[in-house]
Amino acid sequence: FLPRSSNEVCVTEKQLGQRIRRLRVKRGLTAAQAGQALGISKQAWNQWETSERSPRISSLNRISQVLGTTPALLLSQEEQCS
């Protein structure tokens, strides 16, 4: 994800995938269960976690609900993008 301005923060695809996995595990869900909650396959969910593919922006709200967080926190990063 690229910043739109110099003071926006962003998260890399790899960081997003790692965060999705960490939050899923924290919630005690398998990739199959998380995928089923979204109506996608376990394989599709795993592709997000391994950064083979990125979720669509339009899916972030639903992903966040499954993971018990918000889209803003899912995409947050402590430091700004350069």
Side-chain angles (χ1 to χ4, degrees):
F1 301 98
L2 299 175
R4 293 184 187 156
S5 69
S6 60
N7 41 343
E8 265 189 61
V9 295
C10 64
V11 63
T12 66
E13 289 181 19
K14 182 176 180 180
Q15 290 168 326
L16 179 59
Q18 291 170 343
R19 187 167 292 156
I20 287 172
R21 182 179 184 343
R22 187 172 52 249
L23 290 169
R24 175 186 58 77
V25 170
K26 184 177 178 181
R27 299 267 303 183
L29 297 171
T30 65
Q33 291 168 326
Q36 184 178 20
L38 285 178
I40 63 170
S41 69
K42 170 187 168 182
Q43 293 79 9
W45 186 276
N46 282 332
Q47 287 178 335
W48 292 345
E49 290 186 0
T50 59
S51 305
E52 290 177 49
R53 298 186 75 184
S54 294
R56 293 181 181 164
I57 296 295
S58 60
S59 300
L60 290 179
N61 203 25
R62 290 179 53 218
I63 293 167
S64 297
Q65 289 174 347
V66 170
L67 298 176
T69 189
T70 65
L73 290 175
L74 192 62
L75 296 174
S76 71
Q77 183 174 322
E78 296 80 31
E79 58 190 50
Q80 293 182 343
C81 298
S82 52

